[in-house]
């Protein structure tokens, strides 16, 4: 405000803008580091009393998912898998079923491709 030189005023304004930009970048970096900070096993600390019980439930869920995986290996129909998918409630179950459906469809496509190659070679 004290200077009358326009060039000096422009330099001052650009320096102020640069300082503001640097401050914004620092704030964004700080926010990003807080937002994506790895979890420090707070689940176990928050739930110390129920930890053995939650671990037991997690083990049960893992065994149930393993059994479901074996069951899905035996199913060869996409329609049957789709019915299971609609009935499934847990995310992990749906994830396994969708993977099984993708695998079956890939096998069907591969079989059709091989059949087409055999037909074209005759």
């Amino acid at each position: 405000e004290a200077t009358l030189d326009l060039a000096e005023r422009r330099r001052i304004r650009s320096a102020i803008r640069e300082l503001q930009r640097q401050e914004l970048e620092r704030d964004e970096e700080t926010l990003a580091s807080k937002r994506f900070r790895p979890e420090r096993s707070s689940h176990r600390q928050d739930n110390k009393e129920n930890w053995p019980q939650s671990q037991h439930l997690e083990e049960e869920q893992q065994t149930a998912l393993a059994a479901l995986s074996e069951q899905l290996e035996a199913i060869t129909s996409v329609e049957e898998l789709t019915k299971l998918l609609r009935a499934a409630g847990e995310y992990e179950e749906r994830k396994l079923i969708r993977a099984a459906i993708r695998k079956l469809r890939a096998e069907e496509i591969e079989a059709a491709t091989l059949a087409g190659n055999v037909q074209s070679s005759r």
Side-chain angles (χ1 to χ4, degrees), residues 17 24 52 67 75 83 93 98 100 109 121:
R17 279 194 296 271
L24 276 174
I75 298 174
K83 288 178 187 175
E93 291 175 359
R98 284 193 300 271
I109 290 171
S121 66

Side-chain angles (χ1 to χ4, degrees), residues 61 65 85 88-98:
Q61 184 181 19
L65 289 175
L85 181 62
E90 293 292 321
Y91 170 77
E92 293 295 327
E93 291 175 359
R94 293 192 307 268
K95 184 176 166 183
L96 282 174
I97 295 169
R98 284 193 300 271

Side-chain angles (χ1 to χ4, degrees), residues 6-41:
L6 293 179
E8 188 177 351
R9 283 186 175 190
R10 268 190 237 119
R11 283 193 306 267
I12 292 171
R13 275 191 244 121
S14 66
I16 291 171
R17 279 194 296 271
E18 180 65 23
L19 288 172
Q20 288 172 338
R21 185 188 62 77
Q22 288 174 357
E23 185 178 358
L24 276 174
E25 286 178 356
R26 279 194 306 270
D27 290 346
E28 288 174 356
E29 288 173 3
T30 303
L31 191 67
S33 69
K34 287 181 181 177
R35 187 179 305 147
F36 300 111
R37 189 177 310 154
E39 191 172 312
R40 297 180 185 158
S41 68

